[in-house]
């Protein structure tokens, strides 16, 4: 599923990948702002940090064991998703969409307008 997540993130308009913190995590950005981070796990799954509206973040954490407060991030605005197969790929993609949309919405108008269509 890792490759599908990477592919999905890179299909977002204007998305880039980067390693600003070293070899781990892989960070996806839009206009220089992070919207997804992938941490490789030593186990059989990976961790995916995604920005999230605080109310939605709390609801997701209550509904899904695999959704937790953001690892090394602002716990109110970021979730860590444990990608272990317990969530449908479509649900993970929906959370990526939400994260991307939140970041784009908060960009200055000039940056939003510079994102390729």
């Amino acid at each position: 599923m890792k490759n599908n997540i990477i592919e999905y993130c890179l299909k977002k308009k204007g998305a880039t990948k980067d390693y600003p913190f070293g070899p781990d995590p892989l960070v996806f950005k839009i206009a220089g702002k992070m919207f997804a981070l992938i941490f490789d796990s030593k186990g059989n799954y990976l961790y995916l940090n995604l920005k999230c509206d605080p109310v939605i973040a709390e609801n997701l954490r209550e509904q899904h064991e695999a959704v937790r407060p953001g690892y090394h991030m602002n716990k109110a605005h970021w979730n860590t998703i444990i990608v272990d197969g317990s969530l449908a790929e479509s649900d993970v993609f929906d959370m990526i969409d939400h994260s991307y949309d939140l970041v784009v919405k908060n960009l200055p108008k000039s940056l939003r307008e510079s994102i390729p269509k």
Side-chain angles (χ1 to χ4, degrees), residues 3-100:
N3 289 337
N4 292 352
I5 291 171
I6 291 170
E7 211 174 286
Y8 191 81
C9 288
L10 288 174
K11 285 184 180 175
K12 302 305 244 170
K13 292 176 184 162
T16 60
K17 70 178 184 174
D18 192 9
Y19 293 92
F21 309 112
D24 195 43
L26 169 57
V27 177
F28 295 92
K29 297 179 178 181
I30 175 66
K33 300 289 184 183
M34 299 186 297
F35 71 91
L37 297 88
I38 297 176
F39 295 86
D40 276 319
S41 163
K42 300 201 181 353
N44 296 329
Y45 47 85
L46 55 101
Y47 296 96
L48 176 64
N49 281 9
L50 298 170
K51 195 162 183 86
C52 192
D53 174 270
V55 173
I56 295 170
E58 277 298 320
N59 288 337
L60 288 170
R61 293 172 199 166
E62 289 172 8
Q63 293 172 20
H64 305 286
E65 178 97 11
V67 180
R68 306 208 173 137
Y71 174 71
H72 285 301
M73 307 297 274
N74 179 316
K75 309 284 188 240
H77 295 275
W78 288 83
N79 276 339
T80 295
I81 292 83
I82 301 168
V83 183
D84 60 2
S86 64
L87 290 171
E89 187 174 67
S90 60
D91 291 338
V92 174
F93 289 169
D94 287 345
M95 290 183 226
I96 292 169
D97 292 343
H98 177 69
S99 180
Y100 175 87

Side-chain angles (χ1 to χ4, degrees), residues 100-116:
Y100 175 87
D101 293 343
L102 272 178
V103 173
V104 168
K105 183 178 93 176
N106 288 313
L107 291 172
K109 184 178 180 183
S110 61
L111 280 178
R112 274 196 319 271
E113 290 174 350
S114 72
I115 296 170

